[in-house]
Amino acid sequence: QSMLTQPPSVSGTPGQRVTVSCSGGTSNIGRDIVSWYQQLPGTAPKLLISGDNQRPSGVPDRFSGSKSGTSASLAISGLQPEDDADYYCGTWDGSLNGWVFGGGTKLTVL
Amino acid sequence: QVQLQQSGPGLVKPSQTLSLTCAISGDSVSSKNAAWNWIRQSPSRGLEWLGRTYYRSKWYNGYAVSVKSRIIISPDTSKNQFSLQLNSVTPEDTAVYYCTRTSDGVNDFWGQGTLVTVSS
């Protein structure tokens, strides 16, 4: 059972905008920065959004992140077929003294 | 560019010890701006943080409560790497294991992953 809650799946057509939500609590999202990770089949997760809305070099600006209170969101605009992947949110939990992650959201580009 | 290269066996017998190593290039295991983690992923547990080691004038470790009694994460400064030992494994420990670097509050680099199967 994941400490952060994400929808199991979302879908969209090429060019559309989709969002992935991530819900937590005061000991994790409410007090620390949230990062987002993209995982393509058979590969390791890759950092997508650093901090609350910082993109590492090479990540298209179609990807953006936001946070409000104990929830965070990942937005993907101008969907591309290569965005078809699993997406995870993660943050530090000050009560557990460890990293916590969402259960992952499977994005299907129709 | 930081790279993390994992090594270790993919099959471990029940009750034995799982041992993995993560070799670091492009950074130092002794960096005062980083922490070095082990995270595993399985269909039943998702992404699960197991623990970390980091240096801040002395070495510190932190472990997840779920594995605290049977895990050791240790740095090897001579080889610029860190390792995971998980004792008394059961089939529930079957997962893909990743090493990662945490810097500025994010896991910015990940190893390639090692599928470890616990089976006799």
Side-chain angles (χ1 to χ4, degrees):
Chain A
Q1 184 178 353
S2 301
M3 292 298 297
L4 306 180
T5 302
Q6 298 180 234
S9 63
V10 296
S11 63
T13 56
Q16 274 191 329
R17 181 179 186 272
V18 298
T19 61
V20 179
S21 61
C22 176
S23 177
T26 54
S27 63
N28 42 67
I29 293 178
R31 56 155 276 172
D32 217 321
I33 60 176
V34 177
S35 44
W36 289 89
Y37 304 87
Q38 179 192 58
Q39 186 174 32
L40 298 171
T43 68
K46 180 188 88 167
L47 178 63
L48 197 63
I49 299 288
S50 169
D52 290 330
N53 195 20
Q54 303 298 315
R55 290 182 307 279
S57 173
V59 174
D61 60 6
R62 302 185 293 102
F63 294 90
S64 62
S66 63
K67 187 179 92 167
S68 177
T70 58
S71 294
S73 289
L74 171 70
I76 310 170
S77 59
L79 264 185
Q80 302 288 322
E82 58 265 30
D83 299 335
D84 197 296
D86 294 325
Y87 294 85
Y88 295 89
C89 56
T91 188
W92 184 261
D93 190 293
S95 293
L96 297 175
N97 280 318
W99 274 84
V100 290
F101 295 93
T105 298
K106 168 64 181 170
L107 168 61
T108 300
V109 181
L110 302 169
Chain B
Q1 179 79 340
V2 174
Q3 291 189 323
L4 304 177
Q5 181 66 39
Q6 299 177 216
S7 60
L11 180 64
V12 181
K13 289 182 166 50
S15 80
Q16 294 193 342
T17 297
L18 181 161
S19 297
L20 296 173
T21 298
C22 183
I24 304 164
S25 58
D27 197 355
S28 169
V29 71
S30 303
S31 168
K32 292 186 177 182
N33 300 309
W36 306 95
N37 309 273
W38 286 99
I39 293 169
R40 67 183 178 184
Q41 184 176 31
S42 65
S44 59
R45 295 171 175 258
L47 285 170
E48 180 186 15
W49 178 80
L50 298 177
R52 64 178 183 171
T53 188
Y54 58 99
Y55 185 75
R56 301 289 185 269
S57 301
K58 69 174 187 176
W59 288 100
Y60 294 88
N61 290 303
Y63 300 126
V65 170
S66 60
V67 295
K68 193 170 186 177
S69 64
R70 56 192 185 98
I71 188 174
I72 298 173
I73 295 176
S74 54
D76 183 340
T77 56
S78 66
K79 295 181 179 178
N80 200 31
Q81 63 186 31
F82 63 107
S83 62
L84 166 70
Q85 284 186 60
L86 187 64
N87 302 318
S88 305
V89 297
T90 72
E92 286 283 300
D93 295 309
T94 293
V96 178
Y97 286 74
Y98 296 102
C99 58
T100 77
R101 184 185 84 163
T102 302
S103 182
D104 292 329
V106 298
N107 289 292
D108 56 357
F109 291 99
W110 296 61
Q112 79 275 23
T114 302
L115 173 60
V116 179
T117 302
V118 179
S119 175
S120 54

